[in-house]
Amino acid sequence: MKKNLQIPPDLIPFFRTNHAGETGAVYIYKAILYVSKNKEIVNFATNHLKTESEHLKLIENILEKRHRSKLIFLWKIAGFTTGLIPSLFSKKFVFATIFYVESFVEKHYQEQIDMLGSKSKNNELKKFLKKLQEDEISHKDDAILEVSKFSYFHKIWGQIVGMGSAFAVKISMYI
Ligand SMILES: [Fe+2]
Ligand SMILES: [Fe+2]
């Protein structure tokens, strides 16, 4: 992927949220790997961590340091906590969490893809976001394979994760 991809000024805040989000994603999987001894989970999280680290690097290649969130430490803690809590409970809870997180990210990237519209000058950046989004969708699909039915508890947690992610996006749009 091109290193010299230009981010239009109006999309810089969105890319700040993307950078914050991918940082959080890396820490979600780090936390899961920190706690879980289950082979299936370790495999799942190792593979996903690899992709999320690549995403982070790709965004770092095109988003200047001065445009990144000043609260990176907070996004690391938030991500780590989001991965840690379900890991202390059950395998299913971990997969459910990933499903909720990735569903949020899929929509977040879609919003930006829509913003870029059909202008040909935005094609490269659109491709860039679509590639990230595709990976997130496959992460979501990996997770849903393991959770055939969400419990009431999972759904409440899903709401918390969704609201937390939306809140993090709102803050990192500015700081
Ligand atoms: Fe990602
Ligand atoms: Fe992902």
Side-chain angles (χ1 to χ4, degrees):
M1 206 154 300
K2 271 196 202 162
K3 265 199 169 185
N4 55 353
L5 212 54
Q6 281 282 339
I7 306 172
D10 55 328
L11 268 154
I12 298 251
F14 283 89
F15 269 78
R16 180 161 45 247
T17 70
N18 297 343
H19 179 260
E22 296 293 352
T23 303
V26 165
Y27 276 78
I28 288 178
Y29 290 113
K30 278 192 179 182
I32 294 172
L33 288 170
Y34 182 72
V35 177
S36 190
K37 298 280 170 280
N38 179 282
K39 246 195 171 157
E40 213 181 321
I41 298 227
V42 169
N43 250 333
F44 169 94
T46 306
N47 287 333
H48 288 202
L49 175 60
K50 212 177 131 220
T51 321
E52 304 300 3
S53 308
E54 278 165 18
H55 289 175
L56 186 57
K57 227 181 268 159
L58 287 170
I59 294 178
E60 283 179 348
N61 283 342
I62 60 168
L63 183 69
E64 285 178 51
K65 277 208 172 102
R66 66 189 171 105
H67 290 316
R68 296 178 196 167
S69 174
K70 304 285 179 285
L71 303 172
I72 286 300
F73 69 97
L74 193 63
W75 312 133
K76 288 182 179 173
I77 295 170
F80 200 84
T81 312
T82 308
L84 185 71
I85 292 171
S87 305
L88 297 172
F89 286 86
S90 75
K91 199 166 105 177
K92 240 185 167 177
F93 194 15
V94 172
F95 290 124
T97 303
I98 298 307
F99 170 80
Y100 290 121
V101 169
E102 300 291 9
S103 304
F104 180 87
V105 187
E106 179 189 353
K107 276 193 219 133
H108 187 57
Y109 281 139
Q110 188 58 48
E111 206 181 306
Q112 295 166 54
I113 293 166
D114 292 343
M115 272 180 76
L116 286 170
S118 51
K119 282 186 202 136
S120 60
K121 66 171 172 109
N122 292 332
N123 268 350
E124 284 295 317
L125 199 61
K126 226 163 120 176
K127 242 190 256 168
F128 180 95
L129 288 172
K130 276 191 172 160
K131 148 89 178 82
L132 299 189
Q133 189 195 38
E134 245 170 54
D135 290 341
E136 315 301 8
I137 292 172
S138 94
H139 288 168
K140 189 184 82 177
D141 291 344
D142 288 346
I144 197 76
L145 271 179
E146 308 292 335
V147 203
S148 44
K149 224 175 146 202
F150 292 95
S151 69
Y152 185 64
F153 182 56
H154 290 154
K155 285 178 190 162
I156 302 251
W157 173 247
Q159 295 263 318
I160 296 172
V161 166
M163 284 189 313
S165 306
F167 188 58
V169 164
K170 259 190 194 145
I171 296 175
S172 54
M173 279 288 254
Y174 300 99
I175 319 167

